[in-house]
């Protein structure tokens, strides 16, 4: 059997003003074919105004088993949030 | 239809109690499981099987309808059917990509379909003899698929649930276009009415079989429900389908080919529902085991498409490699 066609991740921007969002993946021989396939597979009903395709092999992902070490500290550092600081009401909205 | 993907599924798993309990707690808390998360092997295996077979069903499902694209009765019907068949192809691709996140390759899934190792929904092993069959498929087969797929949008595995949300959004047009074909025929000549009735007669029972065996004969339902891969049992979904579909058929003057079909006001906890006759499970297993009217034809068509397309895939890869090599050579020359 022939070689497997490479895998690409597809990101679509639904409309201007929003960021590109991952929507799935597909197989294509090169970037140009990947863009064409992404248009056919993921935007048949006006889902997008812009497409990015990225070779799946180019993505480095964080390890889910290190989720706690990676992301927990953001919850414990409450001084990073504005509500941590008491400001007298007389000062008004800040 | 895709509960059929669980037939013969092996949910056995060998992880220790603590691991399984922690996993179950995440499921019970309605947390979505994502591809890189730790998961029991049985969960992974069951999903690869179900999503793969669901994808195969979408792809093989293009064949019975594709049969009528060139013979659609008007340009409007042809455009709609083309769009529908293209959607089915797209659904297959979303699903293959969801299955691939679990570590199975596309080629491996294709290989399993072509060798007959992987199954697809039994419904696509019936022939489309007349134009009315296109109406019956959209109305009944896509209708049954929607019943099955809506709860799958809440499946515990994130990529599958997300793919199903896209699929369900698109599927509603399929069912409406099918019902409209049936309605148009039922408002036509006697011959057209007969054609619509004949299509219902042939597709009704196979549509009920799409939901898979009775709960009492479905071995792996329990574990799949516990893992929230499945949310409703085969019989619950089948009943919902019958209750929703019978009034639609009667509205346009169709008669269901079941003498035991009748309204029962006590059913569904007093909300009422339809009693219906016995399903011919011998026929179902006959088709699932590969002996339906079109099984051989469908696989032969898929195999031909795969083999005839091989040179295109090879040429595209060779072209991509050549361009890459040239670009690199040009870069070195410029340095």
């Amino acid at each position: 059997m022939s070689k497997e066609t490479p895998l690409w991740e597809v990101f679509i921007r639904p409309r201007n003003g929003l960021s590109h969002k991952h929507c799935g993946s597909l197989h294509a021989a090169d970037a140009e074919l990947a863009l064409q396939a992404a248009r056919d597979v993921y935007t048949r009903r006006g889902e997008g105004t812009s497409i990015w395709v990225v070779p799946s092999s180019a993505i480095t992902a964080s390890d889910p088993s290190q989720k706690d070490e990676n992301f927990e500290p953001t919850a414990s550092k409450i001084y990073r949030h504005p509500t941590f600081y008491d400001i007298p009401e007389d000062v008004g909205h800040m | 239809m895709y509960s059929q993907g669980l037939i013969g599924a092996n949910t056995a798993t060998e992880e220790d109690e603590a691991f399984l309990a922690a996993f179950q707690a995440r499921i019970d808390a309605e947390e979505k499981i994502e591809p890189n998360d730790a998961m029991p092997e049985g969960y992974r295996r069951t999903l690869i099987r179900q999503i793969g077979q669901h994808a195969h069903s979408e792809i093989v499902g293009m064949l019975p309808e594709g049969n009528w694209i060139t013979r659609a009765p008007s340009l409007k019907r042809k455009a709609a059917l083309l769009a529908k068949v293209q959607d089915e192809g797209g659904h297959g691709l979303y699903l293959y990509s969801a299955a691939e996140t679990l570590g199975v390759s596309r080629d491996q899934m294709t290989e399993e379909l072509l060798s007959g190792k992987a199954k697809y929904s039994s419904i696509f092993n019936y022939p489309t003899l007349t134009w009315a069959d296109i109406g019956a498929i959209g109305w009944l087969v896509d209708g049954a698929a929607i019943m099955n797929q809506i709860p799958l949008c809440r499946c515990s595995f994130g990529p599958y649930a997300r793919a199903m949300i896209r699929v369900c959004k698109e599927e509603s047009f399929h069912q409406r276009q099918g019902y409209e074909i049936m309605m148009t025929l039922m408002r036509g000549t006697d011959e057209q009415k007969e054609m619509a009735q004949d299509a219902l007669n042939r597709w009704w029972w196979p549509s009920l079989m799409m939901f898979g065996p009775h709960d009492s004969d479905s071995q792996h339902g329990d574990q799949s429900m516990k893992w929230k891969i499945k949310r409703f049992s085969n019989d619950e979904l089948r009943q919902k389908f019958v209750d929703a579909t019978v009034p639609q058929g009667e509205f346009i003057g169709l008669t269901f080919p079941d003498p035991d079909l009748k309204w029962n006001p006590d059913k569904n906890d007093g909300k009422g529902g339809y009693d219906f006759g016995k399903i011919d499970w011998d026929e179902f297993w006959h088709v699932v085991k590969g002996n339906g009217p079109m099984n051989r034809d469908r696989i032969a068509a898929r195999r031909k498409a795969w083999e005839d397309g091989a040179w295109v895939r090879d040429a595209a890869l060779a072209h991509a490699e050549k361009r890459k090599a040239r670009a690199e050579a040009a870069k070195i020359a410029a340095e």
Side-chain angles (χ1 to χ4, degrees), chain B residues 76-90:
Chain B
K76 172 186 142 186
R77 296 292 184 203
K78 184 185 238 173
L81 186 57
L82 260 174
K84 179 182 190 296
V85 173
Q86 192 193 11
D87 274 354
E88 306 299 1

PDB file of all heavy atoms in Angstrom, chain B residues 76-90:
ATOM      1  N   LYS B  76     -33.648  21.129  -9.478  1.00  0.00           N
ATOM      2  CA  LYS B  76     -33.741  21.439  -8.044  1.00  0.00           C
ATOM      3  C   LYS B  76     -33.440  20.184  -7.218  1.00  0.00           C
ATOM      4  O   LYS B  76     -32.654  20.216  -6.267  1.00  0.00           O
ATOM      5  CB  LYS B  76     -35.156  21.959  -7.741  1.00  0.00           C
ATOM      6  CG  LYS B  76     -35.462  22.142  -6.263  1.00  0.00           C
ATOM      7  CD  LYS B  76     -36.934  22.509  -6.030  1.00  0.00           C
ATOM      8  CE  LYS B  76     -37.461  21.829  -4.779  1.00  0.00           C
ATOM      9  NZ  LYS B  76     -38.895  22.026  -4.561  1.00  0.00           N
ATOM     10  N   ARG B  77     -34.072  19.063  -7.597  1.00  0.00           N
ATOM     11  CA  ARG B  77     -33.864  17.817  -6.856  1.00  0.00           C
ATOM     12  C   ARG B  77     -32.424  17.343  -6.991  1.00  0.00           C
ATOM     13  O   ARG B  77     -31.839  16.778  -6.068  1.00  0.00           O
ATOM     14  CB  ARG B  77     -34.800  16.724  -7.362  1.00  0.00           C
ATOM     15  CG  ARG B  77     -36.279  17.008  -7.135  1.00  0.00           C
ATOM     16  CD  ARG B  77     -36.637  16.987  -5.676  1.00  0.00           C
ATOM     17  NE  ARG B  77     -38.079  17.158  -5.496  1.00  0.00           N
ATOM     18  CZ  ARG B  77     -38.631  17.603  -4.384  1.00  0.00           C
ATOM     19  NH1 ARG B  77     -37.889  17.937  -3.354  1.00  0.00           N
ATOM     20  NH2 ARG B  77     -39.936  17.718  -4.295  1.00  0.00           N
ATOM     21  N   LYS B  78     -31.850  17.552  -8.177  1.00  0.00           N
ATOM     22  CA  LYS B  78     -30.480  17.102  -8.414  1.00  0.00           C
ATOM     23  C   LYS B  78     -29.498  17.905  -7.558  1.00  0.00           C
ATOM     24  O   LYS B  78     -28.600  17.341  -6.929  1.00  0.00           O
ATOM     25  CB  LYS B  78     -30.135  17.251  -9.902  1.00  0.00           C
ATOM     26  CG  LYS B  78     -28.764  16.706 -10.259  1.00  0.00           C
ATOM     27  CD  LYS B  78     -28.447  16.990 -11.718  1.00  0.00           C
ATOM     28  CE  LYS B  78     -28.175  15.712 -12.460  1.00  0.00           C
ATOM     29  NZ  LYS B  78     -28.014  15.890 -13.885  1.00  0.00           N
ATOM     30  N   ALA B  79     -29.694  19.230  -7.521  1.00  0.00           N
ATOM     31  CA  ALA B  79     -28.802  20.080  -6.726  1.00  0.00           C
ATOM     32  C   ALA B  79     -28.888  19.691  -5.245  1.00  0.00           C
ATOM     33  O   ALA B  79     -27.873  19.590  -4.547  1.00  0.00           O
ATOM     34  CB  ALA B  79     -29.169  21.551  -6.922  1.00  0.00           C
ATOM     35  N   ALA B  80     -30.124  19.445  -4.770  1.00  0.00           N
ATOM     36  CA  ALA B  80     -30.309  19.099  -3.359  1.00  0.00           C
ATOM     37  C   ALA B  80     -29.665  17.754  -3.049  1.00  0.00           C
ATOM     38  O   ALA B  80     -28.986  17.596  -2.027  1.00  0.00           O
ATOM     39  CB  ALA B  80     -31.797  19.059  -3.020  1.00  0.00           C
ATOM     40  N   LEU B  81     -29.830  16.793  -3.957  1.00  0.00           N
ATOM     41  CA  LEU B  81     -29.276  15.454  -3.714  1.00  0.00           C
ATOM     42  C   LEU B  81     -27.747  15.490  -3.742  1.00  0.00           C
ATOM     43  O   LEU B  81     -27.085  14.862  -2.908  1.00  0.00           O
ATOM     44  CB  LEU B  81     -29.833  14.457  -4.741  1.00  0.00           C
ATOM     45  CG  LEU B  81     -29.446  12.984  -4.515  1.00  0.00           C
ATOM     46  CD1 LEU B  81     -29.865  12.492  -3.135  1.00  0.00           C
ATOM     47  CD2 LEU B  81     -30.070  12.097  -5.593  1.00  0.00           C
ATOM     48  N   LEU B  82     -27.200  16.261  -4.675  1.00  0.00           N
ATOM     49  CA  LEU B  82     -25.741  16.412  -4.719  1.00  0.00           C
ATOM     50  C   LEU B  82     -25.221  16.989  -3.407  1.00  0.00           C
ATOM     51  O   LEU B  82     -24.245  16.497  -2.845  1.00  0.00           O
ATOM     52  CB  LEU B  82     -25.358  17.380  -5.846  1.00  0.00           C
ATOM     53  CG  LEU B  82     -24.882  16.797  -7.162  1.00  0.00           C
ATOM     54  CD1 LEU B  82     -24.693  17.923  -8.174  1.00  0.00           C
ATOM     55  CD2 LEU B  82     -23.562  16.055  -6.977  1.00  0.00           C
ATOM     56  N   ALA B  83     -25.905  18.029  -2.918  1.00  0.00           N
ATOM     57  CA  ALA B  83     -25.478  18.673  -1.673  1.00  0.00           C
ATOM     58  C   ALA B  83     -25.588  17.693  -0.512  1.00  0.00           C
ATOM     59  O   ALA B  83     -24.722  17.647   0.375  1.00  0.00           O
ATOM     60  CB  ALA B  83     -26.327  19.910  -1.397  1.00  0.00           C
ATOM     61  N   LYS B  84     -26.632  16.878  -0.515  1.00  0.00           N
ATOM     62  CA  LYS B  84     -26.828  15.919   0.569  1.00  0.00           C
ATOM     63  C   LYS B  84     -25.723  14.860   0.552  1.00  0.00           C
ATOM     64  O   LYS B  84     -25.126  14.552   1.572  1.00  0.00           O
ATOM     65  CB  LYS B  84     -28.204  15.246   0.448  1.00  0.00           C
ATOM     66  CG  LYS B  84     -28.452  14.224   1.539  1.00  0.00           C
ATOM     67  CD  LYS B  84     -29.804  13.554   1.358  1.00  0.00           C
ATOM     68  CE  LYS B  84     -30.184  12.707   2.555  1.00  0.00           C
ATOM     69  NZ  LYS B  84     -29.298  11.572   2.776  1.00  0.00           N
ATOM     70  N   VAL B  85     -25.447  14.324  -0.634  1.00  0.00           N
ATOM     71  CA  VAL B  85     -24.420  13.285  -0.729  1.00  0.00           C
ATOM     72  C   VAL B  85     -23.046  13.868  -0.359  1.00  0.00           C
ATOM     73  O   VAL B  85     -22.245  13.224   0.317  1.00  0.00           O
ATOM     74  CB  VAL B  85     -24.418  12.637  -2.132  1.00  0.00           C
ATOM     75  CG1 VAL B  85     -23.247  11.690  -2.311  1.00  0.00           C
ATOM     76  CG2 VAL B  85     -25.729  11.876  -2.355  1.00  0.00           C
ATOM     77  N   GLN B  86     -22.804  15.121  -0.741  1.00  0.00           N
ATOM     78  CA  GLN B  86     -21.546  15.765  -0.360  1.00  0.00           C
ATOM     79  C   GLN B  86     -21.472  15.912   1.167  1.00  0.00           C
ATOM     80  O   GLN B  86     -20.417  15.697   1.771  1.00  0.00           O
ATOM     81  CB  GLN B  86     -21.425  17.134  -1.022  1.00  0.00           C
ATOM     82  CG  GLN B  86     -20.008  17.703  -0.879  1.00  0.00           C
ATOM     83  CD  GLN B  86     -19.910  19.178  -1.250  1.00  0.00           C
ATOM     84  OE1 GLN B  86     -20.925  19.859  -1.427  1.00  0.00           O
ATOM     85  NE2 GLN B  86     -18.698  19.666  -1.361  1.00  0.00           N
ATOM     86  N   ASP B  87     -22.604  16.259   1.782  1.00  0.00           N
ATOM     87  CA  ASP B  87     -22.649  16.333   3.251  1.00  0.00           C
ATOM     88  C   ASP B  87     -22.279  14.996   3.879  1.00  0.00           C
ATOM     89  O   ASP B  87     -21.537  14.941   4.855  1.00  0.00           O
ATOM     90  CB  ASP B  87     -24.062  16.696   3.730  1.00  0.00           C
ATOM     91  CG  ASP B  87     -24.308  18.197   3.757  1.00  0.00           C
ATOM     92  OD1 ASP B  87     -23.362  18.967   3.523  1.00  0.00           O
ATOM     93  OD2 ASP B  87     -25.466  18.586   4.017  1.00  0.00           O
ATOM     94  N   GLU B  88     -22.824  13.908   3.341  1.00  0.00           N
ATOM     95  CA  GLU B  88     -22.539  12.584   3.916  1.00  0.00           C
ATOM     96  C   GLU B  88     -21.035  12.320   3.863  1.00  0.00           C
ATOM     97  O   GLU B  88     -20.446  11.812   4.817  1.00  0.00           O
ATOM     98  CB  GLU B  88     -23.275  11.461   3.176  1.00  0.00           C
ATOM     99  CG  GLU B  88     -24.801  11.616   3.040  1.00  0.00           C
ATOM    100  CD  GLU B  88     -25.559  11.671   4.349  1.00  0.00           C
ATOM    101  OE1 GLU B  88     -24.933  11.603   5.423  1.00  0.00           O
ATOM    102  OE2 GLU B  88     -26.798  11.814   4.309  1.00  0.00           O
ATOM    103  N   GLY B  89     -20.409  12.681   2.743  1.00  0.00           N
ATOM    104  CA  GLY B  89     -18.961  12.541   2.640  1.00  0.00           C
ATOM    105  C   GLY B  89     -18.259  13.370   3.704  1.00  0.00           C
ATOM    106  O   GLY B  89     -17.336  12.895   4.388  1.00  0.00           O
ATOM    107  N   GLY B  90     -18.724  14.599   3.882  1.00  0.00           N
ATOM    108  CA  GLY B  90     -18.146  15.477   4.909  1.00  0.00           C
ATOM    109  C   GLY B  90     -18.313  14.881   6.300  1.00  0.00           C
ATOM    110  O   GLY B  90     -17.379  14.890   7.104  1.00  0.00           O
TER     111      GLY B  90
END
